[in-house]
């Protein structure tokens, strides 16, 4: 699962969804976003990975939301707590 975290907009990371998170339709992975942030995103978005830089790019038809998103997998950190 991928989540956008307000604490660091450069990171996408895995964690359990909270009560404020809503599921987004996605063909590849379960995606959850904060319900209050949903109004800022277009109906259809594209998340592309760049193997060379190990980053992601999030864009819609009318704008680029973020380039250079780093993937941070924090599942191990959470499971050790």
């Amino acid at each position: 699962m991928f989540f956008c975290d307000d604490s660091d907009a450069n990171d996408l990371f895995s964690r359990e969804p909270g009560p404020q998170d809503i599921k987004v339709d996605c063909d590849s992975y379960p995606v959850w976003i904060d319900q209050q942030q949903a109004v800022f995103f277009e109906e259809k978005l594209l998340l592309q990975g760049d193997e060379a830089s190990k980053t992601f790019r999030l864009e819609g038809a009318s704008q680029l939301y973020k380039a250079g998103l780093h993937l941070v997998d924090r599942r191990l950190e959470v499971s050790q707590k």
Side-chain angles (χ1 to χ4, degrees):
M1 291 181 227
F2 292 99
F3 300 84
C4 288
D5 176 40
D6 293 336
S7 66
D8 188 346
N10 290 319
D11 293 335
L12 288 177
F13 66 91
S14 297
R15 65 169 171 78
E16 292 300 318
Q20 75 285 355
D21 294 327
I22 56 174
K23 189 171 184 179
V24 176
D25 289 334
C26 180
D27 295 336
S28 303
Y29 301 98
V31 176
W32 299 78
I33 62 171
D34 185 288
Q35 176 176 328
Q36 294 178 338
Q37 300 297 317
V39 298
F40 299 109
F41 295 99
E42 295 175 45
E43 187 68 28
K44 186 171 182 178
L45 296 174
L46 179 62
L47 181 66
Q48 294 179 302
D50 180 18
E51 185 67 31
S53 66
K54 306 289 190 216
T55 62
F56 291 89
R57 174 186 181 100
L58 180 63
E59 63 185 311
S62 66
Q63 71 176 6
L64 170 65
Y65 288 90
K66 187 72 178 175
L69 287 165
H70 295 280
L71 177 66
V72 179
D73 185 350
R74 295 188 175 154
R75 289 176 290 187
L76 186 57
E77 292 174 19
V78 171
S79 68
Q80 292 177 346
K81 291 184 180 180

